[in-house]
C-alpha cells in the first residue's frame, strides 16, 4: 500500500472558498490523501459563510484580515504566517485557487520551502499587467511558481503554453465554480430579501480595485438612471464590505426606493438571486462564469476580461464601468426581447461540473507515481 500524501489546500477569500470547496470535498473522499485546509482569512465574514455553506472547517486559520488592508501589509502577513506553518509541518503539495493576494503569497511561501504547488484556475490572462490590478500579476506569479496548472478552458491552456509551460504540466479541467454551482443550483433556494414580486430583478455587484473612485461612481449613477428609465425593474445590489465600495454605493444609491442595497449575500441566497434575476451587471470574475451557466445575460462592468469565452459565445458583453454603455446595453436587453433571448440562451464554456474529479485524478497520478 502506498504512503498517505499530505496536501495543504489554502483559501483566503470568498471566491477561492467557493471554487476550492468541491476540490476539498473530492480530495476528502480519497484514501491516499490527508487534506489540511488552511484559511489565510484574507476575508473573514465572507470566507466563513462560504465554508459553512459547504460544511468545511479550516484546520489552520491565520486570521489575517484587517479593516481596509493594504496590499503590502496583507502580502507580508501571508508570507510570514505561511512560512511558520510550512516550517512546522511537511506537505507533499500545496493547492491554491485563482488570483488573489492569498494565492500569490501562499504559492511563494511554498516555493521558498521547496513544496510543489498546484494552481487551480490557471492561465487566465488579460495580457495587461495592471488590469485587473493586482490579480493579473498575482496569477502570473502563481503560475511561475506552480508545478500543476489546472486550466479551466482551452484558451487558458493556450495562454500558459505561449508562456513556455510544458504540455505535460498544463491540464484542462473545467472551472470548479461550475462544480460548486451544480451542487446547489437545483435546490429550492431563497434569496431571503424582500423584493417586489411584480418587477424584473436586476442584480448588480462591483468590487474591483480598478473600479474604485470615478468608475464605481459611474456604475452607480448608471444604475440610478436605469431605475429612473425603466419603472418595471428593481435592483438588488449586495454591497462588498470593502469601504472603498460601500461608501460610494451608499452615497449614490442609498435610500433609492427602486434599489435594495444589502450586505454580501451568503452563497446559497446569492445563487437564488442570480436564478431570480432577469439581468446581471457585475465586475466579478465568478459571476461572469456562473451567469451564463444559469442562462442569465451578464453585462461585465470592466474594460477587459480574462474570461473571453462567454463574450465570444454572445452570452456576456463587456460594457466597462461606462455610464452611457451600461444604460444603453441594459436598456436594450430590458426593451428588446430578441436581443434578450439571444443572450439568455445559456452556455457553459467554463465547465461541466466535473473539474474537481479531474484535478484529484491528476494529483493522484503526479503524487503517487
Ligand atoms: C479580494 C481580492 C480580489 C477578489 C475579491 C473577492 C486581492 C488583492 N483582491 O478583494 O481579487 O476578487 O477579494 O471578493 O486579493 N472585508 C470585510 N469582510 C470580509 C471581506 C472583506 O470587512 O469578509 C473588507 C475589509 O475591510 C478588508 C477589505 O474588505 O480589508 C478588502 O479586502 P481584500 O481581500 O483586501 O480585497 P477585496 O476587495 O475583498
Ligand atoms: N457571491 C456571493 N454573495 C454575493 C456576491 C457574490 O456568494 O453577495 C459569490 C458568487 O456566486 C461568486 C463569488 O461570490 O461565486 C464571486 O466572488 P467575488 O465577486 O467576490 O470575487 P471574484 O470572483 O471577482 O474574484
Amino acid at each position: 500500500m502506498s504512503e498517505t500524501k499530505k496536501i495543504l489546500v489554502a483559501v483566503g477569500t470568498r471566491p477561492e472558498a467557493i471554487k476550492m470547496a468541491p476540490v476539498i470535498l473530492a480530495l476528502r473522499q480519497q484514501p491516499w490523501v490527508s487534506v489540511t485546509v488552511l484559511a489565510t482569512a484574507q476575508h473573514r465574514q465572507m470566507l466563513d459563510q462560504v465554508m459553512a455553506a459547504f460544511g468545511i472547517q479550516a484546520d489552520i486559520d491565520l486570521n489575517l484580515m484587517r479593516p481596509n488592508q493594504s496590499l503590502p501589509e496583507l502580502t507580508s502577513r501571508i508570507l510570514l504566517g505561511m512560512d511558520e506553518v510550512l516550517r512546522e509541518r511537511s506537505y507533499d503539495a500545496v493547492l491554491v485557487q485563482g488570483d488573489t493576494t492569498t494565492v500569490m503569497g501562499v504559492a511563494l511561501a511554498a516555493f521558498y520551502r521547496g513544496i510543489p504547488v498546484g494552481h487551480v484556475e490557471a492561465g487566465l490572462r488579460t495580457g495587461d499587467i495592471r488590469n485587473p490590478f493586482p490579480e493579473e500579476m498575482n496569477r502570473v506569479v502563481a503560475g511561475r511558481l506552480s508545478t500543476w496548472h489546472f486550466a479551466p478552458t482551452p484558451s487558458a491552456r493556450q495562454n500558459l503554453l505561449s508562456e513556455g509551460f510544458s504540455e505535460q504540466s498544463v491540464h484542462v479541467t473545467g472551472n470548479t465554480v461550475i462544480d460548486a454551482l451544480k451542487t446547489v443550483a437545483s435546490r429550492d433556494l431563497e434569496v431571503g430579501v424582500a423584493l417586489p414580486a411584480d418587477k424584473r430583478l436586476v442584480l448588480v455587484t462591483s468590487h474591483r480595485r480598478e473600479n474604485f473612485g470615478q468608475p464605481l461612481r459611474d456604475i452607480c449613477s448608471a444604475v440610478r438612471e436605469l431605475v429612473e428609465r425603466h419603472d418595471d425593474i428593481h435592483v438588488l445590489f449586495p454591497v462588498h464590505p470593502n469601504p472603498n465600495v460601500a461608501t460610494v454605493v451608499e452615497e449614490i444609491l442609498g435610500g433609492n426606493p427602486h434599489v435594495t442595497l444589502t450586505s454580501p449575500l451568503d452563497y446559497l441566497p446569492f445563487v437564488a438571486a442570480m436564478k431570480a434575476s432577469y439581468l446581471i451587471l457585475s465586475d466579478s470574475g465568478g459571476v461572469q462564469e456562473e451567469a451564463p451557466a444559469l442562462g442569465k445575460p451578464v453585462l461585465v462592468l470592466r474594460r477587459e476580461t480574462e474570461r473571453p469565452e462567454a463574450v465570444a459565445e454572445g452570452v456576456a458583453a463587456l460594457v466597462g464601468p461606462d455610464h452611457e454603455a451600461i444604460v444603453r446595453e441594459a436598456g436594450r436587453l430590458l426593451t428588446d426581447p430578441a436581443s434578450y433571448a439571444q443572450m439568455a440562451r445559456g452556455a457553459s464554456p467554463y465547465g461541466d461540473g466535473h473539474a474537481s474529479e479531474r484535478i484529484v485524478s491528476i494529483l493522484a497520478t503526479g503524487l503517487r507515481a
Side-chain angles (χ1 to χ4, degrees):
M1 214 172 78
S2 62
E3 182 198 344
T4 301
K5 298 294 178 187
K6 286 183 263 171
I7 300 184
L8 182 134
V9 182
V11 291
T13 65
R14 167 173 68 191
E16 290 162 71
I18 292 169
K19 292 172 170 179
M20 209 56 127
V23 179
I24 293 167
L25 297 174
L27 279 171
R28 287 211 169 133
Q29 303 287 320
Q30 303 295 312
W32 58 271
V33 58
S34 152
V35 185
T36 300
V37 176
L38 177 138
T40 63
Q42 172 181 339
H43 283 176
R44 184 72 277 170
Q45 303 86 343
M46 297 209 297
L47 181 73
D48 293 346
Q49 59 86 9
V50 174
M51 303 281 269
F54 286 94
I56 296 170
Q57 277 194 328
D59 303 297
I60 305 171
D61 193 326
L62 301 182
N63 196 24
L64 294 182
M65 194 191 88
R66 301 289 179 274
N68 207 7
Q69 58 208 0
S70 74
L71 295 175
E73 60 175 332
L74 176 62
T75 306
S76 0
R77 283 201 307 272
I78 292 171
L79 273 174
L80 292 173
M82 279 309 301
D83 194 55
E84 209 166 303
V85 170
L86 298 178
R87 192 175 56 222
E88 280 169 11
R89 307 189 207 180
S90 66
Y91 293 97
D92 297 294
V94 168
L95 294 187
V96 293
Q97 192 288 330
D99 54 19
T100 65
T101 299
T102 286
V103 175
M104 196 261 294
V106 170
L108 187 54
F111 170 74
Y112 287 155
R113 289 275 161 198
I115 305 169
V117 175
H119 187 201
V120 178
E121 198 183 78
L124 273 61
R125 299 286 186 271
T126 60
D128 175 355
I129 211 64
R130 297 202 69 82
N131 200 346
F133 175 86
E135 290 83 0
E136 179 81 355
M137 181 57 96
N138 286 343
R139 54 200 177 213
V140 166
V141 172
R144 293 294 345 157
L145 299 169
S146 294
T147 298
W148 298 276
H149 307 271
F150 302 114
T153 64
S155 83
R157 173 177 180 271
Q158 194 48 51
N159 291 337
L160 290 163
L161 298 184
S162 308
E163 290 175 15
F165 293 101
S166 71
E167 299 224 352
Q168 299 88 303
S169 69
V170 183
H171 311 270
V172 178
T173 58
N175 197 311
T176 56
V177 75
I178 306 297
D179 303 23
L181 188 63
K182 284 203 167 167
T183 63
V184 303
S186 57
R187 293 192 216 161
D188 198 11
L189 303 171
E190 300 278 337
V191 183
V193 176
L195 295 165
D198 56 339
K199 308 252 173 158
R200 291 182 292 175
L201 186 66
V202 177
L203 179 64
V204 182
T205 80
S206 179
H207 72 279
R208 301 242 76 87
R209 270 179 163 72
E210 63 274 15
N211 279 344
F212 290 175
Q214 194 57 43
L216 180 58
R217 303 188 82 83
D218 292 345
I219 290 169
C220 292
S221 67
V223 169
R224 189 176 55 202
E225 188 168 337
L226 277 174
V227 294
E228 283 162 8
R229 283 189 181 205
H230 305 274
D231 60 6
D232 64 337
I233 67 167
H234 188 86
V235 166
L236 173 61
F237 194 154
V239 184
H240 193 289
N242 192 320
N244 299 289
V245 176
T247 45
V248 171
V249 175
E250 183 57 45
E251 180 197 320
I252 300 177
L253 295 171
N256 189 313
H258 309 296
V259 178
T260 301
L261 303 181
T262 66
S263 302
L265 296 182
D266 287 359
Y267 179 57
L268 299 187
F270 188 76
V271 173
M274 286 193 286
K275 286 172 70 178
S277 66
Y278 186 80
L279 171 64
I280 301 176
L281 313 185
S282 182
D283 64 11
S284 159
V287 174
Q288 281 178 68
E289 295 153 346
E290 294 161 335
L294 294 170
K296 303 297 175 178
V298 58
L299 296 182
V300 180
L301 305 170
R302 297 176 49 190
R303 300 204 183 282
E304 303 179 77
T305 183
E306 58 290 300
R307 295 167 169 89
E309 294 85 356
V311 177
E313 294 226 20
V315 294
L318 276 180
V319 290
D322 176 325
H323 180 110
E324 300 305 325
I326 296 167
V327 173
R328 184 183 63 244
E329 290 309 309
R332 197 166 58 85
L333 292 169
L334 290 165
T335 53
D336 175 4
S339 298
Y340 183 83
Q342 188 62 21
M343 270 190 88
R345 68 187 189 285
S348 195
Y350 301 108
D352 61 1
H354 297 284
S356 342
E357 291 158 35
R358 295 188 188 101
I359 290 167
V360 169
S361 131
I362 294 156
L363 287 171
T365 308
L367 286 171
R368 302 174 82 204

